[in-house]
Amino acid sequence: MSGTSAIATGGPRRSGSRLGWNLLGLLVFVVAGFPVYWMLNTAFKPAKDAIDPDPSLLPTGLTLSNFSRALDIADFWGPVGRSLVVSLSVVAIGIVVGMLAALAISRFAFRGRKIVIVGILAVQMVPLVAMIIPVFLLLNDLKQYDKLTGIIITYLTFILPFTVWTLRGFIVNIPKELEEAAMVDGCSRTGAFIRVVFPLLAPGMVATSVYGFIQAWNEYLYALMLLSQEHQTATVWLGNFTTKHGTEYAPMMAGATMMAVPIVVLFLFVQRKMAAGLTAGAVKG
């Protein structure tokens, strides 16, 4: 009877606990999603309603005039194109260099290996604001100031450490026995990596690439300081909505909505690849 009563009381307890976690998840979703909702709400509402001191949570009217106004204020496609070039370049270079560095740290023993790992962690702890002046002086000496190549190099300096560290974690979780088995079957070390490790590493590379793309796409401070208006990126372009006459909030939110489209499209393409743990159970027994 006692066992039956425990089972009977265990059900409601589990249901109550599940309900509590669901409510907590719903609360987190509302808190995290409300800024996005408010951005979309402001982007599609009339401009006069965007500065209403008593705003409505629900849209009172829909209009596309804010988007046309955003495109008229300043060139949009130029900054967006430059942001795409910078972000994709940072991702491509960072994922190749980061993968090779992570592979070396994970699979090979060499003198100073621990120092390299500690150095990677230490670099990530340095505030980006503290490096603005040294980066400016260095790029100026290299004749890379106010150039997209200069901003790409700059972004790589703070995206590469995270890339190396993240990919290292994925590579460490891939059993060495898989590579050794492939090499016993006749593959070279490079062939074993391409045929065995690389497919299992794909989810980690996708997740790391998405992070790097978002970081490069959303970066504002360095783009503002190191690029002129002629070469400005999309985030700096949003500053055109703030003038001496005030801030045009509705067109600004429309511009931010258009800027978010590439990120949304990227997630739609890679969402299935972002699941981790695909290597679990690769080696049995």
Side-chain angles (χ1 to χ4, degrees):
M1 292 293 293
S2 60
T4 304
S5 61
I7 294 175
T9 57
R13 289 180 181 177
R14 285 195 295 268
S15 299
S17 176
R18 186 179 300 119
L19 177 61
W21 284 111
N22 289 338
L23 292 176
L24 178 61
L26 180 61
L27 177 63
V28 172
F29 171 77
V30 171
V31 172
F34 182 77
V36 179
Y37 165 75
W38 196 251
M39 177 186 71
L40 295 173
N41 185 23
T42 307
F44 286 97
K45 68 171 52 175
K48 61 181 181 63
D49 293 341
I51 57 176
D52 191 341
D54 187 21
S56 174
L57 289 178
L58 299 177
T60 55
L62 299 178
T63 179
L64 296 177
S65 60
N66 295 323
F67 292 89
S68 59
R69 172 61 178 162
L71 295 175
D72 291 339
I73 287 180
D75 177 37
F76 172 74
W77 300 110
V80 168
R82 285 188 286 271
S83 288
L84 284 174
V85 170
V86 170
S87 301
L88 293 176
S89 300
V90 168
V91 169
I93 299 173
I95 204 68
V96 172
V97 176
M99 180 182 63
L100 295 176
L103 183 64
I105 294 173
S106 305
R107 288 293 194 254
F108 301 100
F110 54 89
R111 184 176 299 178
R113 178 171 172 267
K114 292 184 178 180
I115 297 177
V116 173
I117 296 176
V118 173
I120 292 174
L121 291 176
V123 168
Q124 296 185 75
M125 298 178 185
V126 179
L128 296 180
V129 179
M131 297 190 295
I132 289 181
I133 295 178
V135 168
F136 169 79
L137 295 175
L138 180 61
L139 292 181
N140 191 49
D141 292 338
L142 296 176
K143 309 298 181 185
Q144 293 298 315
Y145 174 72
D146 195 21
K147 292 184 179 180
L148 294 185
T149 52
I151 204 71
I152 290 172
I153 295 172
T154 303
Y155 288 174
L156 284 171
T157 59
F158 55 80
I159 290 178
L160 263 178
F162 176 86
T163 301
V164 174
W165 186 256
T166 304
L167 291 180
R168 174 187 174 274
F170 280 96
I171 294 176
V172 167
N173 288 328
I174 298 176
K176 292 183 178 180
E177 290 80 0
L178 294 177
E179 290 181 83
E180 294 172 354
M183 294 171 67
V184 168
D185 290 339
C187 287
S188 62
R189 181 176 292 275
T190 303
F193 173 79
I194 295 175
R195 292 179 173 83
V196 177
V197 178
F198 187 79
L200 297 176
L201 189 59
M205 295 177 63
V206 170
T208 307
S209 299
V210 170
Y211 170 84
F213 184 90
I214 293 175
Q215 288 292 101
W217 180 266
N218 291 335
E219 204 285 322
Y220 173 78
L221 184 61
Y222 278 82
L224 177 65
M225 300 296 295
L226 301 178
L227 296 175
S228 65
Q229 186 174 3
E230 181 183 357
H231 298 136
Q232 66 181 358
T233 55
T235 51
V236 181
W237 171 80
L238 285 175
N240 292 313
F241 298 98
T242 301
T243 65
K244 61 182 179 180
H245 302 293
T247 302
E248 299 188 51
Y249 291 102
M252 177 183 286
M253 292 300 101
T257 301
M258 291 187 291
M259 276 187 54
V261 171
I263 301 295
V264 174
V265 172
L266 177 64
F267 270 106
L268 291 177
F269 275 108
V270 303
Q271 59 178 340
R272 293 185 179 180
K273 288 288 186 179
M274 291 194 65
L278 294 184
T279 58
V283 177
K284 297 181 179 180

